[in-house]
């Protein structure tokens, strides 16, 4: 009985991770964000991106403790690889834009966003505006 319960818990965990990865990586557009840590080492993270009506590009951290967001807080100068081009930005976390950026993500990423939203608590997410350098 215990093995059966452990098997179910493990299967649910695998299904959760599979849904998150599948919904994230198979979405309409995924960019690569390059950040630098305190030692100057580069880290790459695949993320969704949206533009608002003013033409600003936005990313969204699902949790305030996301590694890439922590690195931005330490060094806001970032690069993104998008459509075969490398672009440079200054990244600015803007938590008060959460609801608006959630709506833009939902409009752009459709079913993928609905899956991600159902699997995590979006009330703590942090929108990040990308200002061109």
């Amino acid at each position: 009985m215990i093995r059966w319960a452990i098997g179910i818990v493990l299967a649910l965990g695998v299904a959760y991770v599979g849904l998150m990865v599948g919904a994230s990586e198979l979405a309409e557009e995924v960019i690569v964000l390059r950040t630098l840590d305190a030692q100057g080492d580069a880290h790459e993270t695949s993320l969704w991106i949206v533009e608002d009506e003013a033409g600003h590009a936005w990313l969204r951290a699902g949790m305030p403790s996301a590694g890439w967001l922590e690195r931005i807080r330490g060094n806001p100068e970032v690069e993104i690889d998008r459509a075969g081009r490398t672009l440079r930005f200054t990244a600015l976390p803007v938590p008060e834009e959460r609801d608006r950026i959630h709506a833009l993500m939902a409009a752009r990423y459709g079913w993928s966003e609905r899956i991600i939203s159902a699997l995590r608590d979006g009330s703590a997410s942090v929108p990040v505006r990308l200002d061109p350098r």
Side-chain angles (χ1 to χ4, degrees), residues 70-82:
E70 291 295 328
R71 290 188 294 277
I72 283 173
R73 288 183 177 123
N75 179 0
E77 304 305 314
V78 303
E79 293 179 344
I80 66 165
D81 291 337
R82 185 178 191 188

Side-chain angles (χ1 to χ4, degrees), residues 59-100:
L59 307 174
R60 178 183 59 190
M63 299 179 303
S65 61
W68 66 269
L69 183 58
E70 291 295 328
R71 290 188 294 277
I72 283 173
R73 288 183 177 123
N75 179 0
E77 304 305 314
V78 303
E79 293 179 344
I80 66 165
D81 291 337
R82 185 178 191 188
R85 297 178 52 209
T86 298
L87 307 166
R88 295 172 184 241
F89 295 93
T90 300
L92 177 66
V94 189
E96 60 271 14
E97 293 288 347
R98 179 179 300 115
D99 292 341
R100 188 170 72 90

Side-chain angles (χ1 to χ4, degrees), residues 26-129:
L26 298 175
E28 177 183 335
E29 181 183 22
V30 177
I31 60 95
V32 175
L33 172 73
R34 193 169 302 105
T35 55
L36 297 176
D37 63 22
Q39 292 74 37
D41 295 326
H43 297 265
E44 293 186 347
T45 308
S46 297
L47 296 168
W48 292 350
I49 190 167
V50 293
E51 284 81 24
D52 66 12
E53 56 284 345
H56 292 107
W58 292 84
L59 307 174
R60 178 183 59 190
M63 299 179 303
S65 61
W68 66 269
L69 183 58
E70 291 295 328
R71 290 188 294 277
I72 283 173
R73 288 183 177 123
N75 179 0
E77 304 305 314
V78 303
E79 293 179 344
I80 66 165
D81 291 337
R82 185 178 191 188
R85 297 178 52 209
T86 298
L87 307 166
R88 295 172 184 241
F89 295 93
T90 300
L92 177 66
V94 189
E96 60 271 14
E97 293 288 347
R98 179 179 300 115
D99 292 341
R100 188 170 72 90
I101 301 310
H102 278 319
L104 289 172
M105 290 282 183
R108 176 146 193 213
Y109 291 98
W111 70 268
S112 295
E113 169 65 12
R114 285 192 291 280
I115 290 171
I116 296 294
S117 293
L119 297 174
R120 66 161 175 75
D121 177 13
S123 67
S125 67
V126 180
V128 176
R129 188 179 70 223

